[in-house]
């Protein structure tokens, strides 16, 4: 069973989208390292590594399907300065929504091309997106609640810092 060119091109593009997501998370983490919010810095760095694993999953799938991998540039994040944990988590949540749309677009193409194996492969990513949207949004909600109360923000920070390695 051959994978169609448009599906493999989209997956190849998604490999770079995942690395781009990693870049954003590294940028947020680096900004937070310069603040007292070390828990958020840790959380974001761990997420950056997870995004690289997503890219690796796609890489493995592409080569397994016999696709000639195409190297490309990784886009630069729009900003690398995040003023607060809320700024960072808002950017992360908004980015996760974009990634969900990217995955859905590949699913649509795979479905149209009757590529059931790719649909099956992408089901894991869709479920992962539900989790990642929820994870980032719950921090947005908590940080909005905390507002300018530094003690509450530090509480959210220690929650973020409990993320298991
Ligand atoms: Fe991802
Ligand atoms: Fe993600």
């Amino acid at each position: 069973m051959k994978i169609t060119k448009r599906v493999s091109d989209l997956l190849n593009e998604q490999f770079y989208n995942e690395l781009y997501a990693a870049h954003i998370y590294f940028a947020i983490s680096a900004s937070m390292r310069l603040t007292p919010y070390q828990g958020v810095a840790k959380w974001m760095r761990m997420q950056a590594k997870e995004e690289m694993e997503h890219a690796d999953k796609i890489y493995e799938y592409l080569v397994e399907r016999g696709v000639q991998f195409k190297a490309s540039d990784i886009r630069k994040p729009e900003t690398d300065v995040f003023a607060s944990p809320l700024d960072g988590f808002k950017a992360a949540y908004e980015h996760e929504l974009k990634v969900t749309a990217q995955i859905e677009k590949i699913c649509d193409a795979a479905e149209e091309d009757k590529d059931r194996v790719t649909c099956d492969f992408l089901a894991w990513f869709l479920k992962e997106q539900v989790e990642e949207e929820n994870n980032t949004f719950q921090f947005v909600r908590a940080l909005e609640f905390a507002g300018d109360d530094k003690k509450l923000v530090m509480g959210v920070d220690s929650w973020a810092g409990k993320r298991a390695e």
Side-chain angles (χ1 to χ4, degrees):
M1 184 177 24
K2 257 189 94 69
I3 189 164
T4 61
K5 188 178 180 306
R6 72 166 175 166
V7 170
S8 66
D9 282 353
L10 283 168
L11 282 167
N12 204 137
E13 198 180 304
Q14 193 58 28
F15 172 88
Y16 285 97
N17 288 338
E18 298 293 339
L19 292 183
Y20 175 63
H23 258 187
I24 293 176
Y25 281 111
F26 272 125
I28 301 169
S29 178
S31 267
M32 290 302 113
R33 284 289 280 270
L34 304 176
T35 73
Y37 304 118
Q38 298 302 302
V40 175
K42 177 190 163 188
W43 195 99
M44 293 291 174
R45 189 180 184 192
M46 286 180 71
Q47 190 58 39
K49 290 180 187 173
E50 248 192 61
E51 299 299 349
M52 291 195 293
E53 280 172 27
H54 296 169
D56 181 61
K57 260 183 194 289
I58 295 170
Y59 160 83
E60 183 56 31
Y61 180 71
L62 280 173
V63 294
E64 199 176 64
R65 295 288 310 263
V67 171
Q68 172 62 56
F69 184 81
K70 284 186 217 129
S72 158
D73 291 328
I74 305 168
R75 270 175 300 145
K76 185 174 177 285
E78 279 161 34
T79 178
D80 41 24
V81 179
F82 299 86
S84 65
L86 180 58
D87 266 16
F89 272 110
K90 268 188 179 164
Y93 174 62
E94 276 154 29
H95 188 70
E96 289 303 338
L97 294 178
K98 285 185 197 156
V99 173
T100 301
Q102 289 161 357
I103 307 277
E104 283 171 342
K105 187 177 155 192
I106 313 172
C107 286
D108 289 346
E111 253 172 49
E112 273 175 39
D113 292 356
K114 300 202 178 345
D115 183 347
R116 291 173 186 88
V117 184
T118 297
C119 290
D120 186 54
F121 170 71
L122 290 172
W124 182 89
F125 280 85
L126 285 177
K127 268 187 252 158
E128 181 73 9
Q129 283 312 115
V130 172
E131 207 179 293
E132 294 196 357
E133 281 181 24
N134 181 56
N135 286 345
T136 47
F137 190 66
Q138 68 181 358
F139 281 110
V140 170
R141 207 162 32 204
L143 289 162
E144 276 176 349
F145 176 81
D148 293 331
D149 187 328
K150 286 185 179 153
K151 274 191 192 153
L152 289 182
V153 178
M154 279 309 276
V156 178
D157 182 71
S158 73
W159 173 28
K162 288 196 181 80
R163 179 169 177 169
E165 296 276 352

